[in-house]
Each structure stands twice: as C-alpha cells, then as structure tokens.
Amino acid sequence: MTTTTGALLPEKFSVLDSWVADWSLATRTERYAMRLSKNIDELSAFYDAVAPLAEEAIEYLDTLDINDLPEDATRLLNLLYSFILVSYPVNIFKQPRIPDSGAAFFNNVVEPAI
C-alpha cells in the first residue's frame, strides 16, 4: 500500500471525511459490528451521504491498481464496503439486524480476497 500526504479521502470525496472514523473499517466483522451498534436513523444518514457519490467513487477506484492503493483510496474502498453492508438494513429491513434471525451470525475465518 502506498502512503499519501495524510488526506482522509481523495479530494473529490472529502465531503465524506466525517464518516471515515466510524465506517472506513478494514474487515467485514468490524463493519457488521458497527452496523449493529447504530440505529436505523444513523445508518440512513450514512447511506444517504454516500449514495450520491458511490458510482463516481467506484469509477475512481477502478482507475487504480487494487494491489497498490494509496491510503486515502483504501479508506474510500472500505467506506464503500460499509455502504454496501448498510444498504439492506436501510432499504429492505428498516432496522440494523436481519429480521427474524435471532442471534444468527457467520464469522469469517479470513476476509475474502479482493
């Protein structure tokens, strides 16, 4: 991973900087735990902030080498992963947990390869 000047996100996505601390998490386990720690209003606010920029962010990331992302781009990628993880609760479930699933959860032994 290449180092950058310390910007949280690439400049054109800096409007999302305030979401980095909570949502730019390296693993699915961390992202899922964050999702469960938030209420639906908090999830919706995050979703609504990222949604208008999601396609442009994907297009931007597609121009980079996934194996050598700068730190700011890695944070953006992790933010998009969190965005995807909260899309079902926001758009379908209307709650952080999957309805009628009790405490069911699958733990990953390793993160999927990119």
Side-chain angles (χ1 to χ4, degrees), residues 4 7-14 16 53-66 68-77 80:
T4 63
L8 289 180
L9 295 171
E11 187 175 339
K12 62 170 54 173
F13 305 104
S14 64
L16 301 175
L53 297 170
E55 279 191 51
E56 187 177 357
I58 292 166
E59 290 170 6
Y60 169 78
L61 290 168
D62 281 346
T63 67
L64 303 174
D65 179 356
I66 191 102
D68 192 29
L69 289 177
E71 289 177 11
D72 60 348
T74 298
R75 284 189 286 272
L76 180 62
L77 179 62
L80 288 174

Side-chain angles (χ1 to χ4, degrees), residues 28 32 35-36 96-107:
R28 182 190 178 281
Y32 192 76
R35 178 178 117 181
L36 295 180
R97 292 191 177 275
I98 300 170
D100 304 319
S101 65
F105 181 74
F106 295 98
N107 285 317

Side-chain angles (χ1 to χ4, degrees), residues 1 4 18 22 46 95 111:
M1 193 177 308
T4 63
S18 64
D22 278 355
F46 169 65
Q95 62 183 12
E111 286 292 310

Side-chain angles (χ1 to χ4, degrees), residues 27-103:
T27 68
R28 182 190 178 281
T29 301
E30 292 171 307
R31 292 187 288 272
Y32 192 76
M34 182 60 68
R35 178 178 117 181
L36 295 180
S37 77
K38 303 290 186 184
N39 64 47
I40 194 63
D41 292 333
E42 293 167 313
L43 295 179
S44 295
F46 169 65
Y47 180 89
D48 291 344
V50 177
L53 297 170
E55 279 191 51
E56 187 177 357
I58 292 166
E59 290 170 6
Y60 169 78
L61 290 168
D62 281 346
T63 67
L64 303 174
D65 179 356
I66 191 102
N67 296 308
D68 192 29
L69 289 177
E71 289 177 11
D72 60 348
T74 298
R75 284 189 286 272
L76 180 62
L77 179 62
N78 288 333
L79 210 60
L80 288 174
Y81 288 155
S82 291
F83 169 74
I84 293 164
L85 193 69
V86 304
S87 66
Y88 271 85
V90 169
N91 294 309
I92 308 294
F93 309 147
K94 309 297 184 204
Q95 62 183 12
R97 292 191 177 275
I98 300 170
D100 304 319
S101 65

